[in-house]
């Protein structure tokens, strides 16, 4: 094995840890106000990317909350996402008659959130909204309403705070931008 190692470029800081913390606090405050006196809010984190956002957001809420996770996967045609989404892991609890908030780390094409909203809506929740940390606005292909949004970003590949590139960099405390292949 060669002693020379390829030096990996560090992600460029796009959103600092401090700015993430401040924005997540604002979102939690807004959500807590909107759902005050509505009973328990069911938070559904979309694995894997939303695990850190959900952890931080849920701990900043001041209302009763119930934590669930769901996992989906995109169908690909020769490494190219087809836009079709399939359920890999379902929530454990019934959401019928309950207030639901889907917690997503990022909306890119929008197919994942669109699929999840339709699928969960069919189960008869009292209401369903979403809270999204990052929106790649110019990449979104489907008509989707984001109810609570952290930040709008450009077309860069982002890592950290739960997001990965080939399973790397999920635990960076900030959102960084990389060039795939770095
Ligand atoms: C990411 C992200 C969203 C989805 C958004 O998940 O967590 O769930 O893509 O993309 P879309 O708007 O184009 O549908 P990913 O497939 O990278 O899986 P991961 O969260 O497990 O890393």
């Amino acid at each position: 094995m060669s002693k020379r190692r390829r030096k990996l470029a560090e992600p460029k800081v796009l959103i600092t840890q401090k700015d993430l913390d401040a924005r997540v606090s604002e979102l939690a405050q807004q959500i807590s106000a909107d759902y005050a006196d509505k009973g328990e809010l069911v938070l559904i984190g979309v694995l894997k990317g939303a695990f850190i956002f959900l952890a931080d957001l849920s701990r900043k809420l001041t209302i009763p909350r119930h934590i669930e996770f769901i996992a989906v996967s995109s169908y690909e045609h020769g490494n190219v996402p087809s836009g079709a989404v399939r359920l890999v892991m379902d929530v454990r609890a019934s959401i019928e008659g309950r207030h639901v908030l889907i917690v997503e780390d990022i909306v890119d094409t929008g197919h994942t959130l669109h699929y999840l909203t339709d699928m969960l809506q069919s189960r008869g929740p009292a209401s369903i909204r979403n809270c999204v940390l990052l929106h790649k606005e110019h990449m979104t292909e489907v008509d989707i309403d984001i109810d609570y949004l952290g930040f709008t970003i450009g077309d860069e590949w982002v890592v950290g705070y739960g997001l990965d590139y080939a399973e790397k960099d999920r635990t960076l405390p900030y959102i960084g931008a990389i060039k795939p292949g770095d």
Side-chain angles (χ1 to χ4, degrees), residues 3 7 9 103 128 132 144 146 166 168 173:
K3 285 183 182 163
K7 182 149 174 13
V103 180
I128 185 160
V132 174
I144 207 143
I146 297 179
K168 292 196 174 59

Side-chain angles (χ1 to χ4, degrees), residues 24-85:
V24 175
S25 295
E26 286 172 358
L27 290 170
Q29 205 176 7
Q30 183 65 55
I31 293 164
S32 298
D34 291 352
Y35 287 89
D37 307 321
K38 284 196 174 168
E40 195 174 62
L41 178 62
V42 181
L43 301 168
I44 302 182
V46 185
L47 293 174
K48 300 176 193 174
F51 79 111
I52 292 178
F53 180 38
L54 176 72
D56 284 351
L57 182 76
S58 60
R59 286 180 293 176
K60 289 174 188 281
L61 293 175
T62 57
I63 51 170
R65 58 274 197 194
H66 172 114
I67 309 293
E68 290 287 333
F69 287 99
I70 203 163
V72 291
S73 172
S74 301
Y75 285 109
E76 294 185 351
H77 291 311
N79 283 338
V80 179
S82 66
V85 178

Side-chain angles (χ1 to χ4, degrees), residues 148-170:
Y148 302 97
L149 175 63
F151 303 89
T152 300
I153 60 170
D155 184 21
E156 51 262 292
W157 194 287
V158 282
V159 294
Y161 202 68
L163 293 101
D164 73 308
Y165 175 68
E167 293 302 325
K168 292 196 174 59
D169 291 332
R170 278 198 201 275

Side-chain angles (χ1 to χ4, degrees), residues 9-15 156-159 174-178 182:
E10 284 293 309
K12 184 185 96 188
V13 179
L14 201 62
I15 306 170
E156 51 262 292
W157 194 287
V158 282
V159 294
Y174 59 88
I175 298 289
I178 58 165
D182 273 1

Side-chain angles (χ1 to χ4, degrees), residues 46-49 104-112 164 170:
V46 185
L47 293 174
K48 300 176 193 174
E104 254 292 24
D105 51 306
I106 189 164
V107 167
D108 188 334
T109 64
H111 289 292
T112 302
D164 73 308
R170 278 198 201 275

